[in-house]
Amino acid sequence: MTTYALTDSWTMTRRELAHWARQPVQLIVGLVFPVMLLLMFGYLIGGGRDVRGDYIDYLVPGMLALTMAFGLEGTMIAVTQDLNKGVIDRFRSMPMSNGAVLVGRSVADMLQSAVGLAVMIGVGYALGWRANGSAGGFLGAVGLLLLFRFAMLWIGIHLAMVAGKPEMVQAVQILVWPVGFLSNAFAPADSMPDWLGTVVEWNPMSQTATAVRELFGTPGGEAGHIWPAVLWPLVLLAVFFPLAVRRFGRLSK
């Protein structure tokens, strides 16, 4: 059964990857948008109150975390389109693993996220940012970023099935923006009013951003944030992964 499930999941992953060849514009926009944000905040709006050292060194890790939280609408729209076109019902009528559709979609998204992360790191290096930590720290930071993305992805998949229609995705996607901007991606929490700084510090994305800054060896990193950066995504996965799987299982009932 495990072999069949893996085979079915890979088949669904290849289906999603084939969409990249047919719709390259969507992929390119997904890669370019975070680069535009990095350039805009780094040079047009940037400055970063109470940031020690070069602001770009502080900003790049925060933007990497922000990139992992954004860009979910592509996956959400794909899920809702499959729902409304009856594609998922057709798959569910076939002798295939029940969760292969969701797994295939999540694997394709994670591959795209890894590519986007590599592009952002490359742009960061081009702007003068450097990871001053060890090679192990660098890999650990990348792992934390992808773990955070994986958790956000399953939140997006669940919300997409709740929304049900592509036109509702934009309204649901707005909920992601507070997670991104009520964080320390652009400025330290201690530079904000006390009440806002408390909210920012409790934001899971802030924990990830602070942890990867520590692992990269860049300004804004603080000891003690690595475990919260691991636990927060695991808690989110423990909540939203079973919710998404359960809702998917009830679609045709």
Side-chain angles (χ1 to χ4, degrees), residues 7-8 24 30 93 113 207 211:
T7 301
D8 292 340
S93 68
S113 299
Q207 297 293 333

Side-chain angles (χ1 to χ4, degrees), residues 17-242:
L17 295 179
H19 290 166
W20 293 6
R22 300 191 194 101
Q23 300 173 341
V25 174
Q26 182 177 343
L27 176 63
I28 293 171
V29 169
L31 296 175
V32 171
F33 178 69
V35 173
M36 292 175 58
L37 283 181
L38 173 59
L39 295 174
M40 181 177 67
F41 280 96
Y43 294 105
L44 183 61
I45 304 177
R49 294 187 303 170
D50 298 334
V51 173
R52 297 178 181 177
D54 193 299
Y55 182 54
I56 289 294
D57 289 337
Y58 178 90
L59 178 64
V60 170
M63 286 301 305
L64 295 178
L66 187 70
T67 301
M68 296 296 97
F70 282 10
L72 294 171
E73 64 271 12
T75 290
M76 295 171 69
I77 289 174
V79 171
T80 55
Q81 286 177 339
D82 284 348
L83 286 173
N84 284 272
K85 293 178 180 178
V87 175
I88 289 182
D89 288 336
R90 196 174 309 137
F91 286 144
R92 286 168 57 86
S93 68
M94 297 178 180
M96 62 183 295
S97 175
N98 193 37
V101 176
L102 296 184
V103 172
R105 181 64 244 181
S106 65
V107 171
D109 186 284
M110 291 302 296
L111 290 174
Q112 181 176 347
S113 299
V115 172
L117 189 59
V119 169
M120 286 291 290
I121 290 175
V123 172
Y125 266 78
L127 297 179
W129 172 79
R130 294 294 182 270
N132 300 313
S134 64
F138 185 94
L139 293 176
V142 170
L144 284 180
L145 290 166
L146 292 176
L147 176 62
F148 180 63
R149 174 62 177 192
F150 194 59
M152 293 298 295
L153 171 62
W154 282 97
I155 295 175
I157 289 175
H158 173 67
L159 292 179
M161 289 189 287
V162 171
K165 297 181 179 180
E167 56 267 25
M168 291 296 295
V169 167
Q170 186 175 4
V172 175
Q173 175 68 9
I174 292 175
L175 299 175
V176 178
W177 287 82
V179 176
F181 287 99
L182 289 178
S183 71
N184 62 4
F186 308 109
D190 55 15
S191 69
M192 306 173 187
D194 290 342
W195 66 270
L196 183 58
T198 300
V199 174
V200 166
E201 288 178 350
W202 276 94
N203 186 338
M205 203 191 86
S206 293
Q207 297 293 333
T208 296
T210 303
V212 299
R213 286 182 178 120
E214 178 187 355
L215 292 170
F216 281 139
T218 54
E222 297 177 7
H225 287 265
I226 294 177
W227 280 113
V230 173
L231 291 175
W232 261 118
L234 292 179
V235 169
L236 294 174
L237 279 170
V239 174
F240 286 96
F241 180 82

